[in-house]
Amino acid sequence: MKTEKSICDHLFEEKLKLDVCCVIAAAGLSSRMGLWKGDLKIPSYGEPGKKQILLIENAVNTALESCRKVILVGGEQMPRIREIFFNCKELILVENREYQRGMLSSIQTAMSCVDSDFFIMPMDMPLLTWFHLFKIHDAYSIRNDSKVFRPVFQGSPGHPVLLPYSWKKRVLKMKGKNLKANLSDDDQVLIPWGDESVVLDLDTQESYEQFLRDYSSS
C-alpha cells in the first residue's frame, strides 16, 4: 500500500511534490494597505544571492516547490499578475471577475481547475514555506480524515488550509466572503503550530514595516 513520505524523509532525500493542488488567492483589493500587496518586496530566504522578492512571487514559489498543480486567482490586478508570471508555464492563472465579493469568491473561481485534494493559501503570508504544506499534508495523511486541516497558533486558526477533494462541491455552494464563516468546529482538524508564521499576514503598511524590522537580515 502506497503511503506518503514523512517530513523527515523529505529532508534527507530529493523532495517530491505533493499530489495536491494549491489555490493562491491574490484578488483582494488591498484596501487597508493602500497599494497592491503583490508588489511589496520582502527578503528572499529560499534563493541564495537574491536579496528581495515580490510578495506574490514568494507565495507562488512556495506552492510550486510543494504541489503538483498551482492555481493563482487574480482580480483587479490581473494585468500586473500576467506581467509578472508571463513566462511561468507551470502556473495556472485564473481571473475572478467578482473579486469584490471576497476571498471565498476567488476560491470558488479556482474550483474549475481543482482535480485533487487542495490547499488554500493567501498571497500575503510571507513566512509560509514548503515545510508548512508538507507538515499539514503529513497530518492529513496520517489521520486519513475527510475534514479540513489547518494550523492554529495561540488559538488563532491560520493558513495554509488543506481540504479533501470531496469538499469541492461543498465549497461551490458556500455563501459569504470567506471560508472560515462556513466551517464549524466539527468540520476541522486544528494542528498546533509553534510560531506565528501561519497567522502573520501583511494587511497594513504598519504590519509590513514591522515585518521588515523583525525579519530582514541586518
Side-chain angles (χ1 to χ4, degrees):
M1 181 173 64
K2 183 180 179 180
T3 58
E4 292 291 336
K5 293 179 179 295
S6 70
I7 294 173
C8 290
D9 290 332
H10 284 285
L11 289 175
F12 292 102
E13 62 182 61
E14 183 179 357
K15 180 163 57 63
L16 302 176
K17 291 186 179 183
L18 299 170
D19 188 20
V20 299
C21 301
C22 184
V23 176
I24 302 176
L29 294 171
S30 303
S31 55
R32 295 177 62 194
M33 177 65 70
L35 52 87
W36 186 55
K37 290 185 283 187
D39 273 329
L40 294 177
K41 292 183 178 181
I42 64 170
S44 175
Y45 306 108
E47 297 185 17
K50 187 172 183 179
K51 294 183 179 180
Q52 290 189 321
I53 191 172
L54 297 182
L55 186 59
I56 193 170
E57 289 178 313
N58 182 70
V60 168
N61 288 349
T62 293
L64 287 175
E65 184 182 12
S66 309
C67 303
R68 172 181 57 83
K69 178 185 284 189
V70 180
I71 306 151
L72 176 62
V73 186
E76 184 179 36
Q77 294 292 334
M78 202 66 197
R80 174 59 177 146
I81 289 173
R82 290 195 176 101
E83 178 185 354
I84 295 170
F85 298 108
F86 75 96
N87 201 31
C88 186
K89 305 302 182 184
E90 298 176 276
L91 185 63
I92 298 172
L93 299 181
V94 178
E95 183 174 2
N96 176 15
R97 297 183 183 276
E98 299 183 351
Y99 60 88
Q100 293 179 326
R101 291 174 46 221
M103 183 174 173
L104 178 58
S105 68
S106 290
I107 296 169
Q108 291 171 328
T109 301
M111 288 300 100
S112 62
C113 300
V114 167
D115 58 4
S116 65
D117 300 336
F118 56 101
F119 280 102
I120 296 170
M121 187 171 76
M123 170 189 67
D124 62 352
M125 300 186 69
L127 296 181
L128 296 184
T129 67
W130 68 266
F131 180 80
H132 294 79
L133 284 81
F134 272 84
K135 184 173 182 180
I136 293 167
H137 190 269
D138 263 20
Y140 170 73
S141 300
I142 292 169
R143 285 282 298 265
N144 193 25
D145 208 317
S146 60
K147 295 187 177 183
V148 173
F149 280 66
R150 73 184 310 169
V152 59
F153 175 68
Q154 296 183 349
S156 297
H159 286 86
V161 182
L162 178 58
L163 292 84
Y165 180 67
S166 60
W167 273 69
K168 178 176 175 177
K169 290 182 179 179
R170 182 170 172 179
V171 168
L172 288 170
K173 294 178 181 179
M174 288 179 178
K175 306 294 184 182
K177 292 189 174 183
N178 57 61
L179 180 71
K180 181 180 178 181
N182 287 273
L183 298 177
S184 68
D185 291 342
D186 290 338
D187 289 329
Q188 306 175 75
V189 174
L190 298 179
I191 304 168
W193 209 270
D195 60 56
E196 67 174 349
S197 59
V198 297
V199 295
L200 188 147
D201 57 13
L202 305 183
D203 268 347
T204 65
Q205 190 67 33
E206 290 75 20
S207 65
Y208 174 54
E209 293 171 358
Q210 184 64 51
F211 168 76
L212 293 181
R213 288 194 293 270
D214 292 342
Y215 290 98
S216 292
S217 57
S218 57

